[in-house]
Amino acid sequence: MKNKSEDYQKMIKTYLEHNSCPVAATMSVIGGKWKSIILYLISHDVKRFGEMHRMIDGISKKMLTSQLRELEADKIIHRKVFPVVPPKVEYTITERGLSLRPLIIAMREWGLENVLKIRHYT
Amino acid sequence: MKNKSEDYQKMIKTYLEHNSCPVAATMSVIGGKWKSIILYLISHDVKRFGEMHRMIDGISKKMLTSQLRELEADKIIHRKVFPVVPPKVEYTITERGLSLRPLIIAMREWGLENVLKIRHYT
DNA sequence: CGGCATCCTTCATGATACTG
DNA sequence: CAGTATCATGAAGGATGCCG
């Protein structure tokens, strides 16, 4: 236990010194205002743009686009364009995206257990 | 597996309809720009204000204050003021805060495994 | 349908200075 | 030491309209 603790302290120091905290890194991937919801939705099924737009209450097309682009850049989701009229675009989760599922699930469960006890949340 | 999947779909629907997705709720607690780092630091030890201010590179006193206040409001951390001169304030993690540790650890591990593979992160 | 371009507003955050 | 107060600003995000 002592070792573990010392280990942590060292890692903290290293991370912060190099300004590369992996916790923060993960947050930068899933921490966008809507990303966790998108991830949660998409991890269960292929989703189309309009479909998500309808499912996520209050999100604008612009926001949805930007969040999807960022997730794509991080290789969490994959964007497949069908060259048809009218346009059709499908978003699927990648393998790396799937590796985030345990995290999303854990967040969901923590939320379920604590949501009612905490202050209002937006 | 089929049940599970249907279950998910239902839950998604319910959450989104009621605008109370627990994943988003959790994000609202740990999703602040610096919260995960603060949490990570504080979960290992009692920390003083200035101490954290020094440890977290780039954070302003104002930001640190606001983030700490929010975590306190969510009962994730506890703020203890010592009536001495000069002032002394200690921040400790609460039990609810501790229940977030597995999440933080999981985020840290995902970050370690993926950080090098993804695009730049801030 | 799935965006992008543009304009515009508001909010989060930085900088700086002050205090019990 | 551990904050508050005040001011300033840049960027995030909303609204709207257009397009292939």
Side-chain angles (χ1 to χ4, degrees):
Chain A
M1 267 324 206
K2 189 67 190 314
N3 287 349
K4 207 66 179 284
S5 184
E6 277 175 14
D7 199 19
Y8 278 134
Q9 296 304 322
K10 266 194 187 170
M11 298 205 98
I12 289 173
K13 194 162 176 298
T14 307
Y15 294 153
L16 294 179
E17 272 174 1
H18 295 102
N19 197 24
S20 61
C21 173
V23 181
T26 302
M27 279 303 304
S28 83
V29 174
I30 63 170
K33 194 173 176 183
W34 308 90
K35 286 185 184 177
S36 58
I37 301 184
I38 294 173
L39 237 27
Y40 186 59
L41 290 180
I42 216 174
S43 72
H44 297 113
D45 232 329
V46 174
K47 290 274 180 295
R48 295 185 59 178
F49 184 88
E51 198 176 354
M52 287 192 274
H53 189 222
R54 263 172 277 117
M55 291 185 86
I56 305 178
D57 190 43
I59 197 173
S60 66
K61 288 200 289 181
K62 185 176 163 185
M63 267 309 295
L64 182 52
T65 301
S66 82
Q67 298 285 288
L68 289 172
R69 289 291 185 282
E70 288 183 25
L71 288 170
E72 194 190 354
D74 290 336
K75 304 206 189 313
I76 303 300
I77 63 175
H78 177 69
R79 180 169 177 266
K80 182 170 187 184
V81 183
F82 295 83
V84 295
V85 180
K88 174 176 174 177
V89 179
E90 274 185 4
Y91 291 90
T92 54
I93 196 156
T94 62
E95 232 173 278
R96 177 174 303 157
L98 271 180
S99 76
L100 278 170
R101 266 197 66 172
L103 218 49
I104 302 290
I105 300 297
M107 287 176 57
R108 180 172 153 279
E109 266 156 24
W110 192 91
L112 283 172
E113 280 168 32
N114 291 274
V115 147
L116 300 175
K117 308 174 198 161
I118 62 179
R119 102 197 130 113
H120 69 85
Y121 57 92
T122 39
Chain B
M1 268 319 210
K2 189 66 191 313
N3 287 348
K4 206 67 178 286
S5 184
E6 277 175 16
D7 199 19
Y8 278 135
Q9 295 305 321
K10 266 196 189 169
M11 298 205 96
I12 290 171
K13 195 162 173 300
T14 307
Y15 293 152
L16 294 180
E17 273 175 359
H18 295 102
N19 198 24
S20 59
C21 173
V23 181
T26 302
M27 278 303 305
S28 83
V29 174
I30 62 171
K33 193 174 178 181
W34 308 90
K35 287 185 184 176
S36 59
I37 300 183
I38 295 174
L39 236 27
Y40 186 58
L41 290 180
I42 216 175
S43 72
H44 297 114
D45 232 329
V46 174
K47 290 273 178 297
R48 295 186 60 177
F49 184 88
E51 196 176 355
M52 287 192 273
H53 189 221
R54 262 172 277 116
M55 291 184 87
I56 305 178
D57 189 43
I59 197 171
S60 66
K61 288 199 290 180
K62 186 175 162 187
M63 266 309 296
L64 182 54
T65 301
S66 82
Q67 299 285 290
L68 289 171
R69 289 292 186 280
E70 288 183 24
L71 287 170
E72 194 190 357
D74 289 336
K75 305 207 188 313
I76 303 301
I77 63 175
H78 178 70
R79 180 169 178 267
K80 183 169 186 183
V81 183
F82 295 83
V84 297
V85 180
K88 173 176 174 178
V89 179
E90 274 183 4
Y91 291 91
T92 53
I93 197 155
T94 62
E95 231 173 278
R96 177 173 303 157
L98 271 180
S99 75
L100 278 171
R101 266 197 67 171
L103 219 47
I104 303 290
I105 301 296
M107 287 175 56
R108 180 172 153 280
E109 267 155 23
W110 192 90
L112 283 172
E113 281 168 30
N114 291 273
V115 147
L116 300 175
K117 308 174 199 163
I118 62 179
R119 97 195 135 114
H120 68 86
Y121 56 91
T122 39

